[in-house]
Amino acid sequence: MQFYSTRNQSNLVGFRDALFQGLAPDGGLYLPENIPNLWDKIKYKDGSYPELAFEILYPYVDGEVSKSSLEDICQNAFSFSVPVNEIKKDHHILELFHGPTLAFKDFAARFMARSMEYFLDNNSKELTVLVATSGDTGSAVASGFHNVDGIRVVILYPKGRVSPIQESQLTSLGGNITAIEIAGSFDDCQLLVKKAFQDKELNESINLSSANSINIARLLPQSVYYFWAHRHIGKNESIIISVPSGNFGNLTGGLFAKKMGLPVEKFIASTNKNDVVPEYLKSGQFQPRQSIHTLSNAMDVGDPSNLSRIQELYQHDLTSLRNDIVGYSYSDDETINSISETFSENRMILDPHTAVGYAGLLNYKKEFKSNAPGVVISTAHPAKFIESVEPAIGEKIPIPNRLQHFMEKEMRKIEMPNRMLDVKEFLLTA
Ligand SMILES: *Cc1c(COP(=O)(O)O)cnc(C)c1O
């Protein structure tokens, strides 16, 4: 499969190049040249999650990764359970938080790390994976790449904007992982990463790659679990899927799945008050803003980079985009209400991101009087956001061992101002 840049259709590269470049040299984002319809092939199959992942991902790496290697990568990357639970009739929850860092970003990061490891050989120059994080990306990437030979990971995260548990996950691994705390917002961190990729001198001296959701290798594995959800709840019908969104990589994975033939009645772009995409769907105007701080902090994104991919997938046709996606946004108060109501009515504990998604599903079903089976993509374990979840439900929640373990370790971080010069100096000399 070839991948093209959103800035230039004739700029084609293979999977390996798209994986290591992250951003295309012209500053665009990579998209697959064609998205094959796989629905007829997989609709009646059952089997494990890694087997499904193999079926869906193989066309994108065909010619560059052998079948047996991709099977190994999938077995290895997706080695945890992916349950679909019922909140109430026709309202389901796809739990993507059973990986090592208890957030859905494990799916993308683990696939990406193993793909990079596959292509690197002993003679390769050390690879620096540079990543900006609003919380969970960094920990998933750190965990996915920890102790992978030939790769060092440098994480930029916004000071004071990630939860204590997230921070301990980012800063406690050590070894080939370095965490840098930037005095700025997530958007500032993301901008620093973009600048690093555009810096000629830097790219000539070090071998730089990205693990942000700009990387197509992160999006592809994020289309698999949409099929998985459908298999559990959809039978032959179309389903409704609510995606708690920030940078819109998760939703883009869902749109790929739909293009691969998955029957979807509607995607719901559920956001917190960083609502530039719901606003865009309403008004047709995309107006990026500074992000604001909310309880669902992994979705505090004011200028989501995947929107340009989504627009490209729909050939910039707002009408067909609106046909497939509806947007809703919720305040922190509404998020807390969603958590406490779901707990009192259904005894289900949601984290703040998932709570935003569930509010979106309820809203859509009511507004459009739809009886189709609906699913919320649950992006994080509630224990990761214990500060807001416990008061909302009025009960203590148990902290899983894996999280406890992170919190007991020593934090190691480097503090830096929001300045390219400092980041560059570190990358060149550390
Ligand atoms: C990253 C993240 C999101 C947002 O996903 P996008 O792909 O950036 O839209 C939602 N919830 C959690 C817990 C996350 O870590």
Side-chain angles (χ1 to χ4, degrees):
M1 174 81 70
Q2 301 268 89
F3 298 83
Y4 70 92
S5 158
T6 50
R7 299 233 171 123
N8 180 356
Q9 299 266 357
S10 54
N11 191 354
L12 292 172
V13 299
F15 175 70
R16 181 194 168 126
D17 288 341
L19 167 70
F20 283 108
Q21 286 173 14
L23 203 63
D26 61 14
L29 305 176
Y30 284 118
L31 276 172
E33 191 185 24
N34 63 50
I35 297 181
N37 193 313
L38 302 173
W39 185 238
D40 285 335
K41 207 170 147 207
I42 55 183
K43 68 177 161 189
Y44 297 121
K45 281 204 179 161
D46 41 36
S48 68
Y49 190 91
E51 285 163 355
L52 177 67
F54 170 81
E55 294 279 353
I56 290 165
L57 297 173
Y58 187 67
Y60 299 97
V61 305
D62 189 6
E64 295 182 81
V65 182
S66 69
K67 282 191 170 168
S68 66
S69 301
L70 184 65
E71 273 164 7
D72 289 347
I73 291 172
C74 290
Q75 287 292 348
N76 212 296
F78 311 119
S79 55
F80 44 86
S81 68
V82 191
V84 181
N85 275 319
E86 192 175 52
I87 302 178
K88 62 183 185 188
K89 186 176 181 297
D90 290 332
H91 296 68
H92 297 84
I93 173 170
L94 172 68
E95 295 184 2
L96 301 182
F97 53 73
H98 296 277
T101 71
L102 293 94
F104 89 103
K105 292 197 173 72
D106 283 329
F107 287 81
R110 290 170 67 80
F111 178 76
M112 193 177 162
R114 280 150 191 79
S115 301
M116 284 184 167
E117 188 177 23
Y118 170 82
F119 285 117
L120 287 176
D121 56 47
N122 298 334
N123 307 322
S124 311
K125 185 161 137 192
E126 186 191 49
L127 182 72
T128 299
V129 172
L130 181 64
V131 58
T133 183
S134 53
D136 292 326
T137 300
S139 32
V141 168
S143 155
F145 283 90
H146 191 218
N147 294 333
V148 174
D149 274 348
I151 301 183
R152 70 163 171 166
V153 175
V154 178
I155 299 164
L156 309 184
Y157 71 99
K159 186 180 170 84
R161 308 279 182 96
V162 302
S163 77
I165 291 179
Q166 285 174 327
E167 188 172 27
S168 55
Q169 286 184 316
L170 291 175
T171 56
S172 63
L173 289 171
N176 62 333
I177 314 290
T178 305
I180 300 181
E181 183 185 65
I182 298 288
S185 67
F186 168 66
D187 292 314
D188 295 328
C189 295
Q190 188 154 258
L191 202 60
L192 289 168
V193 171
K194 281 190 184 153
K195 281 186 189 155
F197 281 98
Q198 285 154 5
D199 190 304
K200 256 216 156 78
E201 192 196 359
L202 197 54
N203 284 277
E204 276 160 13
S205 32
I206 66 171
N207 192 3
L208 200 57
S209 191
S210 138
N212 271 109
S213 59
I214 50 176
N215 197 307
I216 187 70
R218 277 196 42 189
L219 297 185
L220 295 171
Q222 291 184 172
S223 58
V224 175
Y225 44 70
Y226 290 90
F227 287 90
W228 185 253
H230 188 280
R231 181 182 286 178
H232 287 80
I233 70 167
K235 302 176 192 80
N236 297 316
E237 314 156 79
S238 289
I239 61 171
I240 306 162
I241 305 172
S242 179
V243 189
S245 296
N247 214 12
F248 284 82
N250 199 358
L251 183 64
T252 306
L255 299 175
F256 286 160
K258 179 149 202 256
K259 289 217 179 276
M260 288 184 247
L262 186 74
V264 178
E265 174 180 307
K266 201 68 106 181
F267 285 100
I268 304 162
S270 301
T271 70
N272 58 32
K273 280 297 160 191
N274 294 284
D275 58 354
V276 292
V277 170
E279 282 302 314
Y280 163 71
L281 288 166
K282 266 187 222 118
S283 69
Q285 303 292 321
F286 177 55
Q287 263 160 349
R289 296 195 296 263
Q290 277 288 319
S291 59
I292 51 172
H293 185 45
T294 76
L295 291 177
S296 46
N297 64 33
M299 314 199 296
D300 294 348
V301 184
D303 185 4
S305 37
N306 282 298
L307 184 65
S308 67
R309 261 196 181 110
I310 295 178
Q311 289 171 316
E312 180 70 24
L313 279 177
Y314 285 85
Q315 276 132 19
H316 300 267
D317 175 8
L318 195 60
T319 311
S320 57
L321 196 64
R322 283 174 172 152
N323 236 348
D324 282 2
I325 313 171
V326 36
Y328 296 111
S329 92
Y330 299 97
S331 66
D332 280 352
D333 283 347
E334 290 168 317
T335 305
I336 293 290
N337 281 342
S338 173
I339 297 173
S340 46
E341 278 171 21
T342 313
F343 183 68
S344 58
E345 285 166 24
N346 315 103
R347 303 306 288 176
M348 182 80 88
I349 306 175
L350 307 179
D351 93 284
H353 306 78
T354 308
V356 166
Y358 189 49
L361 178 62
L362 293 175
N363 223 328
Y364 172 84
K365 279 185 156 268
K366 199 164 153 200
E367 184 174 341
F368 294 89
K369 302 193 171 36
S370 172
N371 292 322
V375 62
V376 189
I377 308 297
S378 178
T379 50
H381 193 290
K384 287 191 91 167
F385 300 91
I386 203 159
E387 316 78 35
S388 44
V389 174
E390 281 185 348
I393 65 171
E395 279 183 28
K396 287 247 166 249
I397 52 178
I399 301 196
N401 286 340
R402 270 170 300 167
L403 268 189
Q404 195 62 46
H405 177 73
F406 277 117
M407 296 189 71
E408 282 157 6
K409 285 179 140 183
E410 188 196 343
M411 290 210 281
R412 267 170 294 190
K413 66 184 177 193
I414 298 174
E415 295 181 48
M416 264 183 214
N418 172 21
R419 206 163 48 198
M420 189 53 207
L421 218 64
D422 300 66
V423 174
K424 183 170 170 179
E425 158 108 359
F426 172 84
L427 291 172
L428 287 174
T429 55

